[in-house]
Amino acid sequence: MKKTLLLCFIHGFKGDDNTFGSFPEHLRALVSHGLPKVDVRVIVYPQFETRGNLETCVGRFRDWLQEQVIDIEVQNKTPSPTVEPSVHTILVGHSMGGIVAADTILGLASDSPIEPTEPEDSKELGLNTFMFPYIQGVLAFDTPYLGISPGVVAHGAEGHYNAASSAFTQLSGLTGALWGGKGASETVAKGQKEKKPVAALPPPPLADASAPAWQRWGKIAMYAGAGAVVAAGGATAYMKREQITEGWSWIGSHLEFVGCLMKGEDLRKRVAGMVRLNREMNIGWSNLYTRLGKQAVSKETGSMVGSVVGNQRTFCNLPKTDGKELWHEAINDAAKDEINAHIGMFFPKANPAFYDLSERAKNLIVQWSANDWYETSTGDNNVWAIEDVVLEDKLR
């Protein structure tokens, strides 16, 4: 019987059907060459709402995956899918999709076909080797299993601060030109002794007290104009209070979904569980995480944040001990910030190392799947060679 290796892709928070681009078919072609005895197929979990309870989301995905695998087992006429499955699955998750994948396999592996005779707290629960569907591995791409790196927020805030400071300086300078006063740049230069926090805008110039009355009136008008905008926005908000209430409900629901990233103990338990599956059941697990390369820090201005959090800029927090060997960096020399590296890793134009990333992903899947299950499969998939050439042309 020719067996089937199913590559199942799961997008992350606010992702969609285009998250992976042409990468799924590209990876399928590569894996087919590495594992010619099995039929390598790709399925992409349809776009789902990344909100609400994570456990509910995992449950829906698990039910959907089970239906897909059952259909293939029926096609293959497998005598006993739970004991000797003809389908092995690799879950491929991007960002939060990797957490959905991990929770899925942890749930399947903890399901016991026979009720335990001893209390659960008397010893560590055993693992279910007859899980269905059978998950051979979890390949994660930039999944924040240990939370999002503080540098993602810090560098982003610094960028917004620099842009806002520049705008304030230009606006204040223009005001000075109109009203005959000094620009903010000159005022700030005199007050450089006092260091300002990175996240705060410069305060209004203290020189206003001694400025001519007409100049002060000019600035008062400027601030009054800003206040009018806020007041108008407040009136609009009141008129649309019902929609805004619904909006907060929408936001809260999405925050609930990503709220797992704030639960440090749960994050560590999830990682420990995946490491255990890898060591005790030979289940593949790896996280290919992005790291910024040549464009990480401006050569002209440098980075104040970089001196504090370091210039090894990644989207994910990295493990320091347990499971560290299962995480592999994917350097992006084109991306200027962590977010662009995170969302652009599956597109050659945004990620110069796309083909290296693809090759590493293929090698991991082949390594995990080249086992007794694979060796007992019959058939040859050399027909994928032509398709691989076509896919390469499309990606270029």
Side-chain angles (χ1 to χ4, degrees):
M1 177 193 300
K2 181 189 289 186
K3 296 180 178 179
T4 303
L5 181 65
L6 189 63
L7 309 182
C8 179
F9 289 76
I10 316 165
H11 70 70
F13 180 69
K14 300 306 294 177
D16 55 32
D17 297 336
N18 299 316
T19 292
F20 297 100
S22 300
F23 181 69
E25 281 299 321
H26 175 62
L27 183 60
R28 182 202 57 75
L30 293 177
V31 174
S32 293
H33 283 291
L35 299 170
K37 288 187 176 183
V38 294
D39 178 19
V40 181
R41 300 189 192 182
V42 162
I43 55 173
V44 179
Y45 187 43
Q47 182 177 357
F48 61 97
E49 284 287 348
T50 51
R51 64 179 181 177
N53 186 274
L54 176 63
E55 185 178 348
T56 301
C57 179
V58 171
R60 285 196 299 264
F61 168 73
R62 178 172 166 175
D63 291 342
W64 175 85
L65 178 63
Q66 182 171 297
E67 291 178 3
Q68 308 304 309
V69 173
I70 287 176
D71 288 344
I72 299 175
E73 293 286 13
V74 171
Q75 293 173 10
N76 292 346
K77 298 180 180 179
T78 309
S80 182
T82 55
V83 178
E84 294 184 3
S86 69
V87 180
H88 276 194
T89 302
I90 303 289
L91 299 181
V92 184
H94 176 242
S95 192
M96 285 290 292
I99 291 181
V100 172
D103 283 5
T104 298
I105 189 173
L106 288 170
L108 288 169
S110 64
D111 286 347
S112 178
I114 302 175
E115 291 297 323
T117 56
E118 299 183 30
E120 291 185 359
D121 56 355
S122 63
K123 63 176 182 178
E124 190 175 40
L125 290 177
L127 297 174
N128 174 26
T129 58
F130 294 102
M131 58 179 167
F132 182 85
Y134 189 86
I135 311 299
Q136 183 60 63
V138 172
L139 180 58
F141 287 89
D142 224 17
T143 294
Y145 285 114
L146 293 172
I148 296 175
S149 170
V152 175
V153 178
H155 285 101
E158 181 183 42
H160 288 301
Y161 165 75
N162 290 337
S165 296
S166 177
F168 180 87
T169 300
Q170 293 178 24
L171 179 61
S172 185
L174 177 61
T175 305
L178 290 174
W179 301 105
K182 298 178 181 179
S185 57
E186 184 178 347
T187 306
V188 171
K190 289 185 178 181
Q192 281 181 348
K193 292 181 180 179
E194 181 186 356
K195 286 211 168 188
K196 309 294 188 301
V198 173
L201 286 174
L206 296 176
D208 282 357
S210 58
W214 49 268
Q215 179 186 339
R216 294 200 299 273
W217 275 111
K219 293 194 175 182
I220 289 173
M222 179 180 70
Y223 293 127
V229 172
V230 173
T236 303
Y238 179 77
M239 295 297 291
K240 298 184 176 181
R241 57 192 181 280
E242 292 182 0
Q243 292 94 320
I244 290 176
T245 301
E246 293 176 0
W248 279 113
S249 175
W250 181 89
I251 291 171
S253 183
H254 283 77
L255 289 177
E256 181 183 3
F257 180 78
V258 298
C260 65
L261 299 180
M262 310 300 174
K263 302 175 181 177
E265 185 61 28
D266 288 349
L267 294 175
R268 288 185 286 273
K269 285 182 178 179
R270 182 180 290 109
V271 169
M274 293 304 298
V275 170
R276 184 187 176 201
L277 290 181
N278 177 261
R279 293 174 179 172
E280 296 185 19
M281 289 182 59
N282 201 28
I283 298 296
W285 179 51
S286 185
N287 190 17
L288 303 180
Y289 64 91
T290 57
R291 180 171 73 80
L292 299 189
K294 297 177 181 178
Q295 297 293 329
V297 180
S298 169
K299 294 181 180 179
E300 296 179 359
T301 61
S303 170
M304 290 184 289
V305 174
S307 63
V308 179
V309 300
N311 287 324
Q312 296 297 313
R313 295 178 57 179
T314 63
F315 179 82
C316 309
N317 279 330
L318 307 182
K320 296 180 179 179
T321 53
D322 210 19
K324 182 179 180 180
E325 71 281 2
L326 303 175
W327 294 46
H328 308 284
E329 68 178 12
I331 300 175
N332 188 322
D333 283 326
K336 294 183 179 181
D337 59 68
E338 295 88 345
I339 300 299
N340 281 317
H342 181 71
I343 64 178
M345 63 190 309
F346 303 112
F347 301 92
K349 291 183 179 179
N351 179 16
F354 169 82
Y355 293 102
D356 291 337
L357 179 72
S358 303
E359 189 66 21
R360 171 164 280 183
K362 182 264 291 186
N363 289 338
L364 286 169
I365 293 174
V366 170
Q367 175 187 334
W368 299 341
S369 305
N371 48 27
D372 293 339
W373 171 87
Y374 170 76
E375 293 300 333
T376 56
S377 178
T378 59
D380 196 344
N381 281 346
N382 289 331
V383 293
W384 300 122
I386 297 177
E387 290 192 18
D388 190 26
V389 175
V390 174
L391 282 169
E392 289 291 340
D393 291 338
K394 286 182 179 180
L395 288 166
R396 295 181 197 282

